[in-house]
């Protein structure tokens, strides 16, 4: 063997030993980062996003969250800690899609985040499939509150024809029709695209379908109030998002019939759009709190819905790797 080859082997051996020692140090100290060339192995935290007091109450009442520090950014507090030993940052965004999107963007810009897990409550649009207490992991979400409101008697009518909902007899209505519009999806790797449905990225959606179908016991009672049946986790449905709270059964039926949407909420699509625009994985987990136009939510059932969504989110988060390679 030549001296050149021998020297090369010695150098390679030293590099391997150094890398192994550095890795062992990192495993002993979960906040350590190992620099390798222009890259470093870093601890990635899961971004946990929620909108309501009920959802935060479920998180804190569980006893599974350990707070390390709080960071205030743009009027919101980002809580850094661990959830059942998994590193996370959680933020309560507030309602309305603009607040949700702003908070998620701040989260992604300020922390090393592997992806976004959103959990919260939603209304069921199909009582034959989803009832209060159930958990939904939709395969896609859409902004169904973005309309182009047509002029009266427009030639190209929108899907929402207000005259069809006159009471007691259908007919013409001065409100005319409304056409549901696409939104522009910006991403770091592709040209802007007009889309309606925002799909959950398949790696996390498939992982959720695998993790949440085994050994997940959901809550069924709270403060003396119980569900009427056994809560379940449902996959393969679609969710609608808008900035108005849907209580009207006729409009709920419209969303189910025209778009095959099974739930309605005010945040999921904002989480999806912001995550996709940043090239981040995400998943949406909804607890059903009410049936639109049929059964209103009450505090106890609403809390059960939030807690069940939290239980599903926690189980999913525990399956996510917490180390990744960050390169300059």
């Amino acid at each position: 063997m030549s001296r050149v080859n021998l020297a090369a082997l010695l150098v390679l051996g030293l590099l391997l030993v150094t890398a192994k020692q550095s890795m062992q140090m990192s495993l002993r100290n979960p906040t350590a980062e190992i620099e390798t060339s222009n890259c470093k192995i870093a601890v990635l935290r899961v971004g946990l996003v929620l909108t309501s007091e009920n959802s935060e109450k479920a998180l804190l009442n569980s006893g599974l969250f350990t707070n390390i520090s709080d960071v205030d950014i743009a009027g919101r507090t980002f809580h850094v800690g661990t959830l059942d030993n998994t590193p996370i940052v959680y933020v309560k965004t507030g309602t309305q899609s603009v607040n949700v999107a702003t908070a998620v963007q701040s989260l992604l810009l300020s922390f090393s985040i592997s992806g976004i897990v959103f959990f919260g409550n939603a209304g069921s649009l199909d009582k034959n499939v989803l009832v209060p207490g159930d958990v939904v992991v939709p395969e896609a979400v859409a902004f169904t509150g973005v309309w182009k409101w047509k002029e009266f008697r427009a030639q190209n009518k929108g899907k929402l024809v207000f005259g069809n909902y006159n009471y007691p007899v259908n007919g013409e209505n001065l409100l005319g029709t409304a056409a549901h519009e696409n939104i522009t999806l910006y991403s770091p790797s592709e040209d802007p695209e007009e889309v309606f449905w925002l799909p959950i990225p398949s790696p996390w959606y498939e992982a959720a379908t695998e993790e949440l179908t085994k050994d997940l016991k959901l809550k069924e009672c709270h403060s003396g109030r119980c569900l009427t049946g056994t809560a379940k986790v449902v996959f393969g449905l679609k969710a609608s998002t808008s900035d108005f709270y849907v209580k009207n059964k006729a409009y709920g039926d419209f969303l189910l019939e025209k778009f095959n949407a099974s739930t309605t909420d005010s945040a999921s699509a904002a989480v999806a759009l912001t995550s996709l625009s940043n090239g981040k994985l995400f998943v949406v987990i909804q607890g059903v709190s009410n049936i639109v136009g049929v059964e209103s939510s009450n505090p106890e059932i609403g809390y059960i819905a939030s807690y069940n969504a939290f239980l599903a989110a926690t189980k999913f988060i525990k399956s996510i790797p917490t180390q990744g390679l960050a390169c300059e």
Side-chain angles (χ1 to χ4, degrees), residues 54 221-227 297-305:
N54 249 1
C221 296
H222 179 68
S223 296
R225 184 70 181 266
C226 295
L227 303 176
S297 180
N298 65 66
E300 289 76 22
I301 299 301
Y303 180 75
I304 292 173

Side-chain angles (χ1 to χ4, degrees), residues 163-185:
N164 291 346
Y165 299 93
N166 286 355
Y167 183 82
V169 180
N170 293 348
E172 287 194 304
N173 189 303
L174 289 176
L175 292 176
T177 68
H180 291 70
E181 295 202 300
N182 293 339
I183 57 172
T184 304
L185 172 61

